[in-house]
Amino acid sequence: MGDNLNVSSTEKNLDGESSNYSVLNWEQVKRLDAILTESIPIHGRWNFPTLEMKPRDIVKVVRCRMQERKINIREVRLNGSAASHVLHEDSGLGYKDLDLIFCADLKSEMEFQTIKDIVLDSLLDFLPEGVNKEKITPVTLKEAYVQKMVKVCNDSDRWSLISLSNNSGKNVELKFVDSLRRQFEFSVDSFQIRLDSLLLFYECSENPMAETFHPSIVGESVYGDFAVALDHLQRKLICTRNPEEIRGGGLLKYCHLLVRGFRAASEAEMKLLERYMCSRFFIDFSDVTEQRRKLESYLQNHFVGLEDRKYEYLTTLHDVVNESTVCLMGHERRQTLSLITMLAVRVLAEQNVIPNVANVTCYYQPAPYVSDGNFSNYYIAQVQPVYTCQPMHTFSPWLPCN
């Protein structure tokens, strides 16, 4: 199927035509079944009740209503870290978000609005008994249960995302895709698992699954060769292709993999990749306010229950940006490094950790009056040594404190 979901996967078969596919074994099928049948709480804001939702159930409800509204659904897939967990349990990635892809025909704005209405209306089915549903509007449901909504429509991409909130970070993310040019960042997160045969089994079979009685379920690596991508996952190797296509968030994902013990498959290629990713990050998030918003959002969404790893993550990101950024003016680069350092120090403060100052690099921007020739010293409270300010023509506006 290549890199574009616009082509129906049923047009391909598995009799040697493509090495991108693999049939799941029994252990993998059991892990997939456990994920789809696990009840996930969708937490409501304010005094709204928690929804208990099994992934298989929300998929069934949404798909049925899309079919009723004449929206063609080609297939449903499990994507992302949950798919990687199914294929290799000890991947080192873990999984938080549950990414479910509905491959559908979305040719106009009307289909996008219809899907939004369908998902919000479907939430009513999961409200506890006794809740009066008559006065609950779609707007209310959106405010209570939806963490984020995204819609992308351009020449190469047509898709939307509705993420349902979970306080422990295990959000149920429903992604509706007509076409998507780039579906992965690295080989280890390139796996997708077709769910249609298993969903049909749930509806039709009166007997439980067993090793000798279960549907054939197919996985795909949209990176390319399935066996190669799975080997990367098992050996915790970071590899990709066409790195110039990776968007700005790829830098944050790359550093996250490093913190989780993954390493570059090729050091030389990764140095080039780091430069690409840093450049793209600064293109997509061009000012320090956007960068801060993106970093804070990433920390909030990807480190639930892993707060003790935030500082290591930020120092890793600092090192990569410091070593691989070649597209910025010096002061812009220092601004970003200062932002990352500030977030790292804040993480330590939140954890009530008093760092050894000798092991923390901080950047301080002095007040404007420091450049005054009559002002001779710039003091940093309780930190030694004291730095002497130079005349205007040699003064550096950022002072390192070791």
Side-chain angles (χ1 to χ4, degrees):
M1 189 174 66
D3 266 356
N4 199 314
L5 280 175
N6 200 33
V7 179
S8 173
S9 61
T10 57
E11 294 175 5
K12 284 192 176 275
N13 55 56
L14 299 174
D15 55 359
E17 182 177 346
S18 175
S19 61
N20 295 7
Y21 302 88
S22 177
V23 177
L24 274 60
N25 61 38
W26 171 235
E27 292 300 320
Q28 293 168 335
V29 171
K30 286 195 297 182
R31 286 197 291 272
L32 177 61
D33 176 62
I35 287 175
L36 294 182
T37 56
E38 176 190 13
S39 183
I40 300 175
I42 303 301
H43 298 103
R45 297 182 179 88
W46 312 302
N47 61 342
F48 278 80
T50 297
L51 311 181
E52 294 295 334
M53 181 181 294
K54 293 180 180 179
R56 58 176 278 186
D57 292 337
I58 186 63
V59 168
K60 179 180 178 180
V61 171
V62 170
R63 186 168 66 168
C64 286
R65 294 187 183 182
M66 289 176 68
Q67 290 170 340
E68 289 171 1
R69 301 291 290 271
K70 308 301 182 183
I71 296 178
N72 181 45
I73 305 170
R74 298 187 294 275
E75 60 181 342
V76 181
R77 296 182 169 211
L78 179 68
N79 185 47
S81 58
S84 298
H85 172 79
V86 167
L87 297 172
H88 182 53
E89 186 174 20
D90 188 26
S91 66
L93 289 172
Y95 78 94
K96 287 290 185 182
D97 292 342
L98 196 67
D99 301 320
L100 296 162
I101 298 179
F102 294 77
C103 305
D105 294 338
L106 308 173
K107 302 304 181 186
S108 69
E109 176 63 29
M110 183 178 68
E111 279 87 3
F112 283 101
Q113 183 61 45
T114 300
I115 284 173
K116 175 183 173 182
D117 295 340
I118 285 172
V119 173
L120 295 177
D121 185 61
S122 298
L123 298 181
L124 292 173
D125 292 9
F126 296 91
L127 286 168
E129 292 184 9
V131 175
N132 185 356
K133 304 177 183 179
E134 294 181 0
K135 295 184 178 180
I136 301 179
T137 66
V139 173
T140 303
L141 289 168
K142 174 180 176 294
E143 294 299 321
Y145 295 109
V146 175
Q147 184 186 51
K148 64 180 176 181
M149 302 181 74
V150 179
K151 182 176 72 173
V152 176
C153 294
N154 55 44
D155 292 340
S156 59
D157 298 334
R158 294 185 62 83
W159 58 271
S160 67
L161 170 72
I162 301 176
S163 178
L164 305 178
S165 300
N166 174 275
N167 291 346
S168 64
K170 189 179 285 187
N171 299 329
V172 175
E173 301 209 330
L174 308 176
K175 194 169 188 176
F176 302 89
V177 178
D178 180 90
S179 59
L180 183 58
R181 183 168 61 96
R182 177 87 181 195
Q183 301 176 56
F184 73 101
E185 291 164 328
F186 307 99
S187 60
V188 296
D189 65 6
S190 69
F191 298 104
Q192 297 181 358
I193 298 173
R194 300 176 183 175
L195 300 180
D196 294 82
S197 61
L198 182 55
L199 295 172
L200 181 61
F201 182 91
Y202 288 146
E203 293 181 16
C204 298
S205 177
E206 298 180 354
N207 299 311
M209 285 194 298
E211 185 171 3
T212 56
F213 182 70
H214 64 82
S216 293
I217 303 170
V218 176
E220 178 187 0
S221 168
V222 292
Y223 162 81
D225 190 291
F226 187 96
V228 171
L230 185 59
D231 179 65
H232 292 166
L233 182 64
Q234 293 168 340
R235 296 168 58 198
K236 295 187 176 181
L237 298 178
I238 303 173
C239 190
T240 191
R241 58 180 174 81
N242 302 331
E244 68 279 359
E245 297 176 357
I246 299 177
R247 299 192 66 83
L251 173 65
L252 307 185
K253 177 66 174 289
Y254 170 72
C255 293
H256 200 173
L257 290 175
L258 292 177
V259 169
R260 287 182 172 271
F262 286 72
R263 67 186 191 281
S266 166
E267 290 294 338
E269 290 181 4
M270 281 301 112
K271 287 302 179 184
L272 178 61
L273 173 63
E274 287 179 6
R275 290 196 289 273
Y276 271 123
M277 290 189 297
C278 286
S279 297
R280 188 56 190 255
F281 179 80
F282 290 114
I283 291 172
D284 290 353
F285 310 101
S286 56
D287 66 67
V288 73
T289 302
E290 292 178 342
Q291 294 165 16
R292 177 170 181 166
R293 189 183 304 116
K294 179 64 176 179
L295 286 172
E296 289 179 336
S297 174
Y298 194 91
L299 291 172
Q300 179 182 351
N301 294 332
H302 292 83
F303 288 86
V304 177
L306 299 169
E307 285 76 10
D308 58 324
R309 307 297 295 275
K310 287 183 179 179
Y311 179 76
E312 182 184 358
Y313 172 77
L314 288 166
T315 55
T316 301
L317 177 62
H318 185 283
D319 291 344
V320 172
V321 171
N322 188 41
E323 294 173 7
S324 301
T325 300
V326 295
C327 62
L328 295 182
M329 299 291 288
H331 73 280
E332 294 174 323
R333 176 171 163 274
R334 287 190 292 269
Q335 274 188 324
T336 301
L337 293 173
S338 178
L339 167 64
I340 298 170
T341 300
M342 179 273 293
L343 293 175
V345 172
R346 189 175 74 180
V347 164
L348 292 178
E350 291 172 351
Q351 298 172 358
N352 295 318
V353 176
I354 301 176
N356 179 349
V357 176
N359 295 327
V360 179
T361 301
C362 302
Y363 293 87
Y364 296 87
Q365 186 167 21
Y369 58 77
V370 175
S371 60
D372 188 337
N374 296 321
F375 186 89
S376 60
N377 289 311
Y378 180 57
Y379 293 94
I380 303 174
Q382 300 180 0
V383 179
Q384 296 295 327
V386 174
Y387 291 90
T388 302
C389 294
Q390 303 298 323
M392 184 68 175
H393 64 280
T394 60
F395 175 72
S396 171
W398 295 88
L399 302 177
C401 169
N402 294 318

